[in-house]
Amino acid sequence: MSEDAFPRDPEAPEPAVPAGPRPAPEPPRPPAYSPGSAQPRLNRPVHERYPQIRPTSGYGDPRITRTGPGPGAGTEQEPERSSKLSARLALALTVVIGQLWGLTIVVDEWMSGDTGTAWWGAGFLCLSFLVVLGLWAIDPKDR
């Protein structure tokens, strides 16, 4: 494993050695990247390991021909269906809020001993449930 992580360029000129006393050797500097393998050839910087990846890879790469799902993606394809479902959702939420309010009234009347009013309230809750069931049954193709 005496391979150097950065091999010397064979065409580069030899460094000049000055005549005279040699300066003290510098302490070894850590590499600019953090090695993750015991094999030095794998510890090279990314641009040396993968020369085909350029800074423009992705948006400027001629190999990429399609960038996404296509024109019109993410826009509403059936606005009539969307408005119909929104109206149905608003109506169902109104009924649910009415059921919660009615349940509060029914329980309050039942606890105070007025069972006649409580039974009328229970009838209201059953009727509102049937309204929601009717909304659900209106358009079976939306399920």
Side-chain angles (χ1 to χ4, degrees):
M1 291 216 195
S2 61
E3 270 185 50
D4 188 14
F6 296 97
R8 187 168 142 57
D9 186 5
E11 297 177 9
E14 291 292 324
V17 179
R22 297 186 129 202
E26 293 181 13
R29 289 186 295 181
Y33 55 91
S34 58
S37 175
Q39 300 176 11
R41 65 182 181 81
L42 298 176
N43 292 331
R44 297 175 299 171
V46 174
H47 63 84
E48 288 183 15
R49 282 183 284 161
Y50 305 104
Q52 71 272 21
I53 298 176
R54 296 185 277 303
T56 59
S57 288
Y59 64 89
D61 197 336
R63 295 174 290 181
I64 296 175
T65 57
R66 291 180 176 81
T67 59
T75 60
E76 184 56 54
Q77 302 296 322
E78 298 178 60
E80 295 85 12
R81 180 175 181 266
S82 176
S83 64
K84 186 169 42 173
L85 290 176
S86 297
R88 214 182 295 165
L89 179 65
L91 195 56
L93 286 175
T94 304
V95 169
V96 167
I97 290 171
Q99 285 179 327
L100 291 173
W101 171 77
L103 184 61
T104 305
I105 300 297
V106 166
V107 169
D108 188 40
E109 292 297 318
W110 184 271
M111 297 302 262
S112 66
D114 190 5
T115 57
T117 307
W119 283 112
W120 280 107
F124 168 77
L125 292 175
C126 290
L127 181 66
S128 64
F129 175 75
L130 291 175
V131 167
V132 171
L133 197 61
L135 288 173
W136 178 76
I138 285 176
D139 201 0
K141 70 178 175 149
D142 268 345
R143 282 181 239 123

